Amino acid sequence: MLLEEVKTLSLNKIDWSLCISILALIASVLTYILHDRRLKRQEHFINEHQIKKISEEQDENAKALIKANVVKHPKGKREIKIFNAGKAIANNIKVEILSELSGMHTDDLDELFPYEFLNPQEGTQFFIFLYEGPTKILKIKMSWDDSYRLGRNHEQILTL
């Protein structure tokens, strides 16, 4: 009888320790699976973000950006500097003056444009001569082609 009680007691101890071990194993497997899922979601989010960023950088490297500045000279002479502020070569650059030219004169605009190409950070210029109370505002439109797209444009207002 004593032997049976010892065997029963020993089996009870084994059953509890086995149950606790199995529960601990299940809990650690569930924790691992949940943690792994969360890491995979984060990794997927980071990968998508990096792909988007790389794509935007590639687009930006394929774009030219044509802009203009005004340099004031004495006696009503204004130099309009057209330059490529982008990262790609601009081809077939056209400049169109949208403002009314009353009180102004430019003679070399039609001779210069369309300009064949402008490399990044390069530019060209043309002159405007002001007389008889001209307007203080000049609205111009620059059009160009680059490796990103054909027929890009930028409108700008310059203060003379």
Side-chain angles (χ1 to χ4, degrees), residues 75-78 103-108 127-131:
K75 298 183 182 176
K77 184 177 177 183
R78 302 293 186 259
M104 292 183 241
H105 174 70
T106 179
D107 55 358
D108 53 353
F127 292 95
I128 290 183
F129 301 94
L130 307 176
Y131 59 92

Side-chain angles (χ1 to χ4, degrees), residues 87-103:
K87 296 181 180 180
I89 297 172
N91 298 302
N92 193 27
I93 301 117
K94 298 174 188 140
V95 174
E96 179 184 355
I97 297 178
L98 302 176
S99 300
E100 193 174 317
L101 287 175
S102 63

Side-chain angles (χ1 to χ4, degrees), residues 62-97:
K63 290 180 181 178
L65 180 58
I66 304 299
K67 291 186 170 186
N69 281 336
V70 175
V71 178
K72 296 181 181 181
H73 295 283
K75 298 183 182 176
K77 184 177 177 183
R78 302 293 186 259
E79 181 179 5
I80 310 295
K81 293 190 174 217
I82 306 294
F83 61 95
N84 183 356
K87 296 181 180 180
I89 297 172
N91 298 302
N92 193 27
I93 301 117
K94 298 174 188 140
V95 174
E96 179 184 355
I97 297 178

